[in-house]
Amino acid sequence: MISRRELGIYGEKIAIEFLKRHNCQIITTNFRAGKNEIDIIIKTNEEIVFIEVKTRLSVFYGLPEYAVNQQKLKNIINCAYEWIISNNYQGAWRIDIISIEINNYRAKIKWFKNCGENFN
């Protein structure tokens, strides 16, 4: 049986390979600020993107992307601000979610862009 932590690490590896195939430049992974963490930070031609990866072996308890609730999104935004400040970054940025469902050794990947856009 795979642990949640192992599944998360595996999902992040799948997401990184997926992003590389989409010509994204990986800046860092597992950036931490206090208790908060951002799984992957990339650079596109236009902006910095902070990515939360959610991986599931089953959708019995819901789709992976539904695990990013308002509190989790708030934590990601706070962590993103810490990265922005510590790197003196002044350009455009956004928050995305990569959802991975693994079934019969195949990964179904969905990329949700601008997930923090309507955050209050």
Side-chain angles (χ1 to χ4, degrees), residues 7 14 54-60 62-65 98-110 112:
L7 181 61
I14 291 170
K54 288 296 179 189
T55 309
R56 297 289 184 267
L57 294 174
S58 165
V59 295
F60 182 78
L63 296 170
E65 60 270 21
I98 292 184
S99 166
I100 303 172
E101 297 172 44
I102 300 173
N103 191 354
N104 295 326
Y105 303 101
R106 294 179 53 104
K108 179 181 177 183
I109 303 169
K110 294 183 275 184
F112 299 90

Side-chain angles (χ1 to χ4, degrees), residues 53-101:
V53 179
K54 288 296 179 189
T55 309
R56 297 289 184 267
L57 294 174
S58 165
V59 295
F60 182 78
Y61 294 106
L63 296 170
E65 60 270 21
Y66 292 162
V68 183
N69 59 26
Q70 288 290 31
Q71 184 58 53
K72 179 66 177 172
L73 189 55
K74 181 179 178 182
N75 293 343
I76 294 167
I77 290 170
N78 289 337
C79 197
Y81 285 142
E82 289 295 324
W83 185 90
I84 289 166
I85 291 166
S86 66
N87 287 277
N88 198 27
Y89 180 73
Q90 297 179 5
W93 60 278
R94 70 174 196 251
I95 295 173
D96 292 358
I97 298 170
I98 292 184
S99 166
I100 303 172
E101 297 172 44

Side-chain angles (χ1 to χ4, degrees), residues 1-8:
M1 183 75 176
I2 188 169
S3 72
R4 283 181 50 184
R5 185 172 189 280
E6 291 169 326
L7 181 61

Side-chain angles (χ1 to χ4, degrees), residues 37-51:
E37 179 186 41
I38 295 175
D39 295 325
I40 304 169
I41 302 174
I42 65 170
K43 183 176 185 338
T44 68
N45 291 336
E46 301 86 30
E47 59 202 341
I48 296 295
V49 183
F50 302 97
I51 300 174

